[in-house]
Each structure stands twice: as C-alpha cells, then as structure tokens.
Amino acid sequence: MSQHSQLPAGRAPRGDRRVAEYEHDTYKSKGKLKEPTACPQCGAVYEKGRWTWQPKPAGAHEVLCPACHRIADHCPKGLVTITGAFLAGHREEILGIAHNEEEKEKGQHPLARLMRIEPQDDGVVISTTDTHLARRIGEAIHHAYQGELNFHYDQGEDFIRVSWNR
C-alpha cells in the first residue's frame, strides 16, 4: 500500500465527507420547467431558465411561479421591521419608498415582490418574497432618513430580517 492511500488516524476518506447543501428553497423548482411556462396568477413567463415579464406565449404551460406560491403560503424570504416615533409622521413616505423599491426590483426580477404590510403596535412589518428586496428597502429608508439599520441573515436559511428605527 502506498503512502498516498493511507489516512491519518481519525480521518475519513473523502467520499464519506458530507457536503452541506448551501441553499435549500422549497419554492424553487426541482428541475427545469417546460418552456414556455406562464404563471396563471401574475402572468410572469418562464423562458430560457428564468422568470421574466413578457406576453404569455401561445400554448404555454401553466405553473404557479415561486413568488405567487410563497404569497399563497404566507412564507416570506425577508422581513423589514420599521419602528420608532419618526414613523408616525412619515408613514406614507416610508411605505412609498418600499413600494418604489419593489417596482424597481420587480421590473428586472419578477420573483421579487412585497407580500404584506402589517401594522404593529410599535411600527410596521413588511414581508417580501426575496432577500435582496428586503435589504434594498431597508437601505433605501436608511439613505432617505438615516436612523439605525440592522440586518440579520438566518444561518442555514436564505432569509433576512431587516430592522430600521428612528
């Protein structure tokens, strides 16, 4: 037996090492969808491996897109919590920033959407179908009004909690 095939004590061969899955998303399709495919709810079209906004092609298959599926299941990928006394006097402007960020992001990425805006006793919680959208909303509010901005990515999950306070 050569020296290369001997393993130090306590070490497992490479084949036995388990590689943790980087990202598990129940809402992501397991394989490629038949093309073209359209979402019957929002009208997004899956073509060339991605969801886009375009007219529904004739004869397109119908499958609920991941964003509509998340919205139906009430399972967000991001939460933006906005709190503080400043919110009371600027609620409409702050929510306008959130809607504007959604429109910008959704134009290029149909799966990035606001799910719900829920009033709370001490503020507002915005749920999103996309982690990047939640982060963009937090950064845009912080850029406009300063305040305290925090991000928390849940370990092992593709989920973000954004909090802004002023």
Side-chain angles (χ1 to χ4, degrees), residues 2 24-25 37 39 44 48 58 96 99 101 111 125 146 149-150 160 162 166:
S2 74
H24 174 74
D25 189 353
T37 295
C39 178
K48 297 180 183 169
H99 286 290
E101 289 303 313
L111 304 183
V125 176
Q146 286 69 50
L149 178 64
N150 294 303
I160 186 172
V162 178
R166 177 173 165 199

mmCIF file with all atom_site columns, all heavy atoms in Angstrom, residues 2 24-25 37 39 44 48 58 96 99 101 111 125 146 149-150 160 162 166:
data_model
loop_
_atom_site.group_PDB
_atom_site.id
_atom_site.type_symbol
_atom_site.label_atom_id
_atom_site.label_alt_id
_atom_site.label_comp_id
_atom_site.label_asym_id
_atom_site.label_entity_id
_atom_site.label_seq_id
_atom_site.pdbx_PDB_ins_code
_atom_site.Cartn_x
_atom_site.Cartn_y
_atom_site.Cartn_z
_atom_site.occupancy
_atom_site.B_iso_or_equiv
_atom_site.pdbx_formal_charge
_atom_site.auth_seq_id
_atom_site.auth_comp_id
_atom_site.auth_asym_id
_atom_site.auth_atom_id
_atom_site.pdbx_PDB_model_num
ATOM 1   N N   . SER A 1 2   ? 0.590   2.174  -0.898  1.00 0.00 ? 2   SER A N   1
ATOM 2   C CA  . SER A 1 2   ? 1.407   3.382  -0.976  1.00 0.00 ? 2   SER A CA  1
ATOM 3   C C   . SER A 1 2   ? 1.074   4.347  0.151   1.00 0.00 ? 2   SER A C   1
ATOM 4   O O   . SER A 1 2   ? 0.054   4.230  0.811   1.00 0.00 ? 2   SER A O   1
ATOM 5   C CB  . SER A 1 2   ? 1.189   4.066  -2.323  1.00 0.00 ? 2   SER A CB  1
ATOM 6   O OG  . SER A 1 2   ? -0.053  4.690  -2.335  1.00 0.00 ? 2   SER A OG  1
ATOM 7   N N   . HIS A 1 24  ? -31.309 25.691 0.500   1.00 0.00 ? 24  HIS A N   1
ATOM 8   C CA  . HIS A 1 24  ? -32.462 24.844 0.224   1.00 0.00 ? 24  HIS A CA  1
ATOM 9   C C   . HIS A 1 24  ? -33.676 25.759 0.156   1.00 0.00 ? 24  HIS A C   1
ATOM 10  O O   . HIS A 1 24  ? -33.974 26.480 1.091   1.00 0.00 ? 24  HIS A O   1
ATOM 11  C CB  . HIS A 1 24  ? -32.652 23.797 1.315   1.00 0.00 ? 24  HIS A CB  1
ATOM 12  C CG  . HIS A 1 24  ? -33.907 23.009 1.123   1.00 0.00 ? 24  HIS A CG  1
ATOM 13  N ND1 . HIS A 1 24  ? -34.018 22.053 0.147   1.00 0.00 ? 24  HIS A ND1 1
ATOM 14  C CD2 . HIS A 1 24  ? -35.106 23.068 1.732   1.00 0.00 ? 24  HIS A CD2 1
ATOM 15  C CE1 . HIS A 1 24  ? -35.237 21.544 0.179   1.00 0.00 ? 24  HIS A CE1 1
ATOM 16  N NE2 . HIS A 1 24  ? -35.909 22.143 1.133   1.00 0.00 ? 24  HIS A NE2 1
ATOM 17  N N   . ASP A 1 25  ? -34.355 25.738 -0.945  1.00 0.00 ? 25  ASP A N   1
ATOM 18  C CA  . ASP A 1 25  ? -35.540 26.558 -1.122  1.00 0.00 ? 25  ASP A CA  1
ATOM 19  C C   . ASP A 1 25  ? -36.668 25.673 -1.629  1.00 0.00 ? 25  ASP A C   1
ATOM 20  O O   . ASP A 1 25  ? -36.637 25.200 -2.758  1.00 0.00 ? 25  ASP A O   1
ATOM 21  C CB  . ASP A 1 25  ? -35.261 27.692 -2.103  1.00 0.00 ? 25  ASP A CB  1
ATOM 22  C CG  . ASP A 1 25  ? -36.386 28.701 -2.176  1.00 0.00 ? 25  ASP A CG  1
ATOM 23  O OD1 . ASP A 1 25  ? -37.451 28.461 -1.567  1.00 0.00 ? 25  ASP A OD1 1
ATOM 24  O OD2 . ASP A 1 25  ? -36.201 29.730 -2.839  1.00 0.00 ? 25  ASP A OD2 1
ATOM 25  N N   . THR A 1 37  ? -43.439 28.466 -19.957 1.00 0.00 ? 37  THR A N   1
ATOM 26  C CA  . THR A 1 37  ? -44.391 28.249 -18.873 1.00 0.00 ? 37  THR A CA  1
ATOM 27  C C   . THR A 1 37  ? -44.801 29.620 -18.362 1.00 0.00 ? 37  THR A C   1
ATOM 28  O O   . THR A 1 37  ? -43.971 30.514 -18.239 1.00 0.00 ? 37  THR A O   1
ATOM 29  C CB  . THR A 1 37  ? -43.760 27.429 -17.732 1.00 0.00 ? 37  THR A CB  1
ATOM 30  O OG1 . THR A 1 37  ? -43.457 26.119 -18.226 1.00 0.00 ? 37  THR A OG1 1
ATOM 31  C CG2 . THR A 1 37  ? -44.687 27.300 -16.550 1.00 0.00 ? 37  THR A CG2 1
ATOM 32  N N   . CYS A 1 39  ? -47.158 31.813 -15.313 1.00 0.00 ? 39  CYS A N   1
ATOM 33  C CA  . CYS A 1 39  ? -47.858 31.769 -14.028 1.00 0.00 ? 39  CYS A CA  1
ATOM 34  C C   . CYS A 1 39  ? -49.288 32.242 -14.265 1.00 0.00 ? 39  CYS A C   1
ATOM 35  O O   . CYS A 1 39  ? -49.491 33.361 -14.752 1.00 0.00 ? 39  CYS A O   1
ATOM 36  C CB  . CYS A 1 39  ? -47.163 32.662 -13.010 1.00 0.00 ? 39  CYS A CB  1
ATOM 37  S SG  . CYS A 1 39  ? -48.008 32.719 -11.403 1.00 0.00 ? 39  CYS A SG  1
ATOM 38  N N   . ALA A 1 44  ? -46.193 36.125 -15.052 1.00 0.00 ? 44  ALA A N   1
ATOM 39  C CA  . ALA A 1 44  ? -44.759 36.002 -15.344 1.00 0.00 ? 44  ALA A CA  1
ATOM 40  C C   . ALA A 1 44  ? -44.553 34.777 -16.233 1.00 0.00 ? 44  ALA A C   1
ATOM 41  O O   . ALA A 1 44  ? -45.288 33.792 -16.144 1.00 0.00 ? 44  ALA A O   1
ATOM 42  C CB  . ALA A 1 44  ? -43.964 35.862 -14.053 1.00 0.00 ? 44  ALA A CB  1
ATOM 43  N N   . LYS A 1 48  ? -36.048 30.295 -21.099 1.00 0.00 ? 48  LYS A N   1
ATOM 44  C CA  . LYS A 1 48  ? -34.579 30.303 -21.089 1.00 0.00 ? 48  LYS A CA  1
ATOM 45  C C   . LYS A 1 48  ? -34.034 30.241 -19.663 1.00 0.00 ? 48  LYS A C   1
ATOM 46  O O   . LYS A 1 48  ? -33.058 30.901 -19.314 1.00 0.00 ? 48  LYS A O   1
ATOM 47  C CB  . LYS A 1 48  ? -34.027 31.511 -21.828 1.00 0.00 ? 48  LYS A CB  1
ATOM 48  C CG  . LYS A 1 48  ? -34.397 31.530 -23.296 1.00 0.00 ? 48  LYS A CG  1
ATOM 49  C CD  . LYS A 1 48  ? -33.845 32.739 -23.999 1.00 0.00 ? 48  LYS A CD  1
ATOM 50  C CE  . LYS A 1 48  ? -34.327 32.729 -25.446 1.00 0.00 ? 48  LYS A CE  1
ATOM 51  N NZ  . LYS A 1 48  ? -34.065 33.969 -26.130 1.00 0.00 ? 48  LYS A NZ  1
ATOM 52  N N   . ALA A 1 58  ? -48.385 31.678 -26.858 1.00 0.00 ? 58  ALA A N   1
ATOM 53  C CA  . ALA A 1 58  ? -49.462 30.737 -27.159 1.00 0.00 ? 58  ALA A CA  1
ATOM 54  C C   . ALA A 1 58  ? -49.007 29.328 -26.807 1.00 0.00 ? 58  ALA A C   1
ATOM 55  O O   . ALA A 1 58  ? -47.869 28.954 -27.057 1.00 0.00 ? 58  ALA A O   1
ATOM 56  C CB  . ALA A 1 58  ? -49.821 30.819 -28.641 1.00 0.00 ? 58  ALA A CB  1
ATOM 57  N N   . GLY A 1 96  ? -44.055 54.510 0.779   1.00 0.00 ? 96  GLY A N   1
ATOM 58  C CA  . GLY A 1 96  ? -43.835 54.853 -0.629  1.00 0.00 ? 96  GLY A CA  1
ATOM 59  C C   . GLY A 1 96  ? -42.453 54.414 -1.095  1.00 0.00 ? 96  GLY A C   1
ATOM 60  O O   . GLY A 1 96  ? -42.290 53.913 -2.218  1.00 0.00 ? 96  GLY A O   1
ATOM 61  N N   . HIS A 1 99  ? -42.610 50.682 -1.711  1.00 0.00 ? 99  HIS A N   1
ATOM 62  C CA  . HIS A 1 99  ? -43.290 50.381 -2.983  1.00 0.00 ? 99  HIS A CA  1
ATOM 63  C C   . HIS A 1 99  ? -42.412 50.739 -4.187  1.00 0.00 ? 99  HIS A C   1
ATOM 64  O O   . HIS A 1 99  ? -42.381 50.001 -5.177  1.00 0.00 ? 99  HIS A O   1
ATOM 65  C CB  . HIS A 1 99  ? -44.634 51.104 -3.063  1.00 0.00 ? 99  HIS A CB  1
ATOM 66  C CG  . HIS A 1 99  ? -45.684 50.490 -2.194  1.00 0.00 ? 99  HIS A CG  1
ATOM 67  N ND1 . HIS A 1 99  ? -46.254 49.275 -2.456  1.00 0.00 ? 99  HIS A ND1 1
ATOM 68  C CD2 . HIS A 1 99  ? -46.259 50.949 -1.058  1.00 0.00 ? 99  HIS A CD2 1
ATOM 69  C CE1 . HIS A 1 99  ? -47.142 48.985 -1.517  1.00 0.00 ? 99  HIS A CE1 1
ATOM 70  N NE2 . HIS A 1 99  ? -47.156 49.987 -0.653  1.00 0.00 ? 99  HIS A NE2 1
ATOM 71  N N   . GLU A 1 101 ? -39.108 50.751 -4.279  1.00 0.00 ? 101 GLU A N   1
ATOM 72  C CA  . GLU A 1 101 ? -38.046 49.742 -4.373  1.00 0.00 ? 101 GLU A CA  1
ATOM 73  C C   . GLU A 1 101 ? -38.585 48.450 -4.976  1.00 0.00 ? 101 GLU A C   1
ATOM 74  O O   . GLU A 1 101 ? -37.906 47.809 -5.770  1.00 0.00 ? 101 GLU A O   1
ATOM 75  C CB  . GLU A 1 101 ? -37.415 49.482 -2.999  1.00 0.00 ? 101 GLU A CB  1
ATOM 76  C CG  . GLU A 1 101 ? -36.570 50.618 -2.493  1.00 0.00 ? 101 GLU A CG  1
ATOM 77  C CD  . GLU A 1 101 ? -35.443 50.999 -3.448  1.00 0.00 ? 101 GLU A CD  1
ATOM 78  O OE1 . GLU A 1 101 ? -34.731 50.097 -3.946  1.00 0.00 ? 101 GLU A OE1 1
ATOM 79  O OE2 . GLU A 1 101 ? -35.262 52.204 -3.688  1.00 0.00 ? 101 GLU A OE2 1
ATOM 80  N N   . LEU A 1 111 ? -39.726 37.692 -9.436  1.00 0.00 ? 111 LEU A N   1
ATOM 81  C CA  . LEU A 1 111 ? -39.962 36.951 -8.198  1.00 0.00 ? 111 LEU A CA  1
ATOM 82  C C   . LEU A 1 111 ? -39.714 37.801 -6.955  1.00 0.00 ? 111 LEU A C   1
ATOM 83  O O   . LEU A 1 111 ? -39.901 37.331 -5.838  1.00 0.00 ? 111 LEU A O   1
ATOM 84  C CB  . LEU A 1 111 ? -39.083 35.695 -8.157  1.00 0.00 ? 111 LEU A CB  1
ATOM 85  C CG  . LEU A 1 111 ? -39.244 34.749 -9.346  1.00 0.00 ? 111 LEU A CG  1
ATOM 86  C CD1 . LEU A 1 111 ? -38.392 33.510 -9.160  1.00 0.00 ? 111 LEU A CD1 1
ATOM 87  C CD2 . LEU A 1 111 ? -40.700 34.374 -9.569  1.00 0.00 ? 111 LEU A CD2 1
ATOM 88  N N   . VAL A 1 125 ? -44.420 45.943 9.778   1.00 0.00 ? 125 VAL A N   1
ATOM 89  C CA  . VAL A 1 125 ? -43.599 44.838 9.296   1.00 0.00 ? 125 VAL A CA  1
ATOM 90  C C   . VAL A 1 125 ? -43.963 44.590 7.836   1.00 0.00 ? 125 VAL A C   1
ATOM 91  O O   . VAL A 1 125 ? -45.129 44.380 7.506   1.00 0.00 ? 125 VAL A O   1
ATOM 92  C CB  . VAL A 1 125 ? -43.803 43.554 10.126  1.00 0.00 ? 125 VAL A CB  1
ATOM 93  C CG1 . VAL A 1 125 ? -43.011 42.398 9.528   1.00 0.00 ? 125 VAL A CG1 1
ATOM 94  C CG2 . VAL A 1 125 ? -43.396 43.777 11.574  1.00 0.00 ? 125 VAL A CG2 1
ATOM 95  N N   . GLN A 1 146 ? -31.732 58.328 7.430   1.00 0.00 ? 146 GLN A N   1
ATOM 96  C CA  . GLN A 1 146 ? -30.712 57.896 8.383   1.00 0.00 ? 146 GLN A CA  1
ATOM 97  C C   . GLN A 1 146 ? -31.349 56.934 9.405   1.00 0.00 ? 146 GLN A C   1
ATOM 98  O O   . GLN A 1 146 ? -32.050 56.045 9.008   1.00 0.00 ? 146 GLN A O   1
ATOM 99  C CB  . GLN A 1 146 ? -29.999 59.077 9.057   1.00 0.00 ? 146 GLN A CB  1
ATOM 100 C CG  . GLN A 1 146 ? -29.020 59.792 8.140   1.00 0.00 ? 146 GLN A CG  1
ATOM 101 C CD  . GLN A 1 146 ? -29.691 60.541 7.018   1.00 0.00 ? 146 GLN A CD  1
ATOM 102 O OE1 . GLN A 1 146 ? -30.603 61.297 7.246   1.00 0.00 ? 146 GLN A OE1 1
ATOM 103 N NE2 . GLN A 1 146 ? -29.240 60.292 5.804   1.00 0.00 ? 146 GLN A NE2 1
ATOM 104 N N   . LEU A 1 149 ? -30.038 51.033 11.210  1.00 0.00 ? 149 LEU A N   1
ATOM 105 C CA  . LEU A 1 149 ? -30.368 49.948 10.295  1.00 0.00 ? 149 LEU A CA  1
ATOM 106 C C   . LEU A 1 149 ? -29.579 48.708 10.671  1.00 0.00 ? 149 LEU A C   1
ATOM 107 O O   . LEU A 1 149 ? -28.364 48.776 10.856  1.00 0.00 ? 149 LEU A O   1
ATOM 108 C CB  . LEU A 1 149 ? -30.033 50.356 8.854   1.00 0.00 ? 149 LEU A CB  1
ATOM 109 C CG  . LEU A 1 149 ? -30.276 49.326 7.759   1.00 0.00 ? 149 LEU A CG  1
ATOM 110 C CD1 . LEU A 1 149 ? -31.762 48.992 7.635   1.00 0.00 ? 149 LEU A CD1 1
ATOM 111 C CD2 . LEU A 1 149 ? -29.737 49.843 6.430   1.00 0.00 ? 149 LEU A CD2 1
ATOM 112 N N   . ASN A 1 150 ? -30.263 47.580 10.801  1.00 0.00 ? 150 ASN A N   1
ATOM 113 C CA  . ASN A 1 150 ? -29.608 46.313 11.119  1.00 0.00 ? 150 ASN A CA  1
ATOM 114 C C   . ASN A 1 150 ? -30.103 45.224 10.185  1.00 0.00 ? 150 ASN A C   1
ATOM 115 O O   . ASN A 1 150 ? -31.280 45.212 9.807   1.00 0.00 ? 150 ASN A O   1
ATOM 116 C CB  . ASN A 1 150 ? -29.907 45.896 12.565  1.00 0.00 ? 150 ASN A CB  1
ATOM 117 C CG  . ASN A 1 150 ? -29.292 46.837 13.561  1.00 0.00 ? 150 ASN A CG  1
ATOM 118 O OD1 . ASN A 1 150 ? -28.092 47.055 13.564  1.00 0.00 ? 150 ASN A OD1 1
ATOM 119 N ND2 . ASN A 1 150 ? -30.128 47.428 14.402  1.00 0.00 ? 150 ASN A ND2 1
ATOM 120 N N   . ILE A 1 160 ? -33.762 36.877 5.511   1.00 0.00 ? 160 ILE A N   1
ATOM 121 C CA  . ILE A 1 160 ? -33.164 38.067 6.126   1.00 0.00 ? 160 ILE A CA  1
ATOM 122 C C   . ILE A 1 160 ? -34.198 38.797 6.976   1.00 0.00 ? 160 ILE A C   1
ATOM 123 O O   . ILE A 1 160 ? -35.377 38.865 6.637   1.00 0.00 ? 160 ILE A O   1
ATOM 124 C CB  . ILE A 1 160 ? -32.598 39.031 5.043   1.00 0.00 ? 160 ILE A CB  1
ATOM 125 C CG1 . ILE A 1 160 ? -31.838 40.190 5.691   1.00 0.00 ? 160 ILE A CG1 1
ATOM 126 C CG2 . ILE A 1 160 ? -33.691 39.524 4.126   1.00 0.00 ? 160 ILE A CG2 1
ATOM 127 C CD1 . ILE A 1 160 ? -31.091 41.078 4.712   1.00 0.00 ? 160 ILE A CD1 1
ATOM 128 N N   . VAL A 1 162 ? -34.553 42.560 8.484   1.00 0.00 ? 162 VAL A N   1
ATOM 129 C CA  . VAL A 1 162 ? -34.043 43.921 8.409   1.00 0.00 ? 162 VAL A CA  1
ATOM 130 C C   . VAL A 1 162 ? -34.816 44.738 9.427   1.00 0.00 ? 162 VAL A C   1
ATOM 131 O O   . VAL A 1 162 ? -36.059 44.643 9.487   1.00 0.00 ? 162 VAL A O   1
ATOM 132 C CB  . VAL A 1 162 ? -34.237 44.511 6.995   1.00 0.00 ? 162 VAL A CB  1
ATOM 133 C CG1 . VAL A 1 162 ? -33.745 45.941 6.927   1.00 0.00 ? 162 VAL A CG1 1
ATOM 134 C CG2 . VAL A 1 162 ? -33.563 43.650 5.945   1.00 0.00 ? 162 VAL A CG2 1
ATOM 135 N N   . ARG A 1 166 ? -35.973 54.888 14.039  1.00 0.00 ? 166 ARG A N   1
ATOM 136 C CA  . ARG A 1 166 ? -35.592 56.281 14.261  1.00 0.00 ? 166 ARG A CA  1
ATOM 137 C C   . ARG A 1 166 ? -36.688 56.956 15.058  1.00 0.00 ? 166 ARG A C   1
ATOM 138 O O   . ARG A 1 166 ? -37.844 56.817 14.817  1.00 0.00 ? 166 ARG A O   1
ATOM 139 C CB  . ARG A 1 166 ? -35.360 57.016 12.945  1.00 0.00 ? 166 ARG A CB  1
ATOM 140 C CG  . ARG A 1 166 ? -35.036 58.470 13.176  1.00 0.00 ? 166 ARG A CG  1
ATOM 141 C CD  . ARG A 1 166 ? -34.631 59.185 11.942  1.00 0.00 ? 166 ARG A CD  1
ATOM 142 N NE  . ARG A 1 166 ? -34.702 60.596 12.236  1.00 0.00 ? 166 ARG A NE  1
ATOM 143 C CZ  . ARG A 1 166 ? -34.763 61.533 11.327  1.00 0.00 ? 166 ARG A CZ  1
ATOM 144 N NH1 . ARG A 1 166 ? -34.740 61.236 10.068  1.00 0.00 ? 166 ARG A NH1 1
ATOM 145 N NH2 . ARG A 1 166 ? -34.834 62.798 11.673  1.00 0.00 ? 166 ARG A NH2 1
#
